[in-house]
């Protein structure tokens, strides 16, 4: 069962790359749309890298486009990928 810490680092790296920011500047409390400028279409596209992260683990499940588009904060993104990596959902 993967812990949250390594998944958090991977998710932060993905979000930072997409938002054209350093990974150190992305915080869990930030909003994806308002603070980082990731609109609905970009958030939906995060389903692909988030699924790759989740499926690195044997019980990992995919992140759907609708789930990714509905994300509001960085923390929600980390929690979603962590849940999917643990086979929840």
């Amino acid at each position: 069962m993967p812990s949250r810490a390594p998944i958090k680092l991977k998710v932060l790296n993905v979000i930072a790359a997409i938002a054209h920011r350093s990974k150190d500047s992305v915080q869990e409390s930030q909003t994806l749309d308002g603070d980082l400028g990731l609109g609905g279409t970009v958030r939906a596209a995060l389903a692909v890298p988030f699924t790759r992260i989740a499926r690195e683990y044997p019980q990992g499940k995919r992140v759907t486009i609708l789930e990714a588009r509905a994300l509001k904060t960085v923390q929600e993104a980390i929690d979603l990928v962590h849940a999917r990596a643990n086979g929840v959902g």
Side-chain angles (χ1 to χ4, degrees):
M1 190 162 177
S3 68
R4 190 174 187 275
I7 292 170
K8 175 183 174 179
L9 291 175
K10 292 174 185 179
V11 171
L12 289 178
N13 283 336
V14 168
I15 292 173
I18 299 296
H20 302 287
R21 301 194 179 212
S22 70
K23 67 177 181 171
D24 297 331
S25 70
V26 178
Q27 303 298 318
E28 284 193 52
S29 61
Q30 290 179 306
T31 61
L32 295 172
D33 191 12
D35 295 330
L36 298 173
L38 305 181
T41 303
V42 175
R43 290 193 315 272
L46 289 172
V48 174
F50 287 174
T51 295
R52 283 194 190 122
I53 294 168
R55 288 199 168 160
E56 289 177 10
Y57 303 93
Q59 67 276 26
K61 293 186 174 183
R62 73 183 181 105
V63 174
T64 68
I65 291 172
L66 293 177
E67 290 169 331
R69 183 184 297 247
L71 294 170
K72 301 294 180 206
T73 66
V74 174
Q75 181 178 353
E76 286 179 7
I78 295 165
D79 291 343
L80 175 64
V81 177
H82 181 242
R84 294 300 175 269
N86 283 292
V88 177

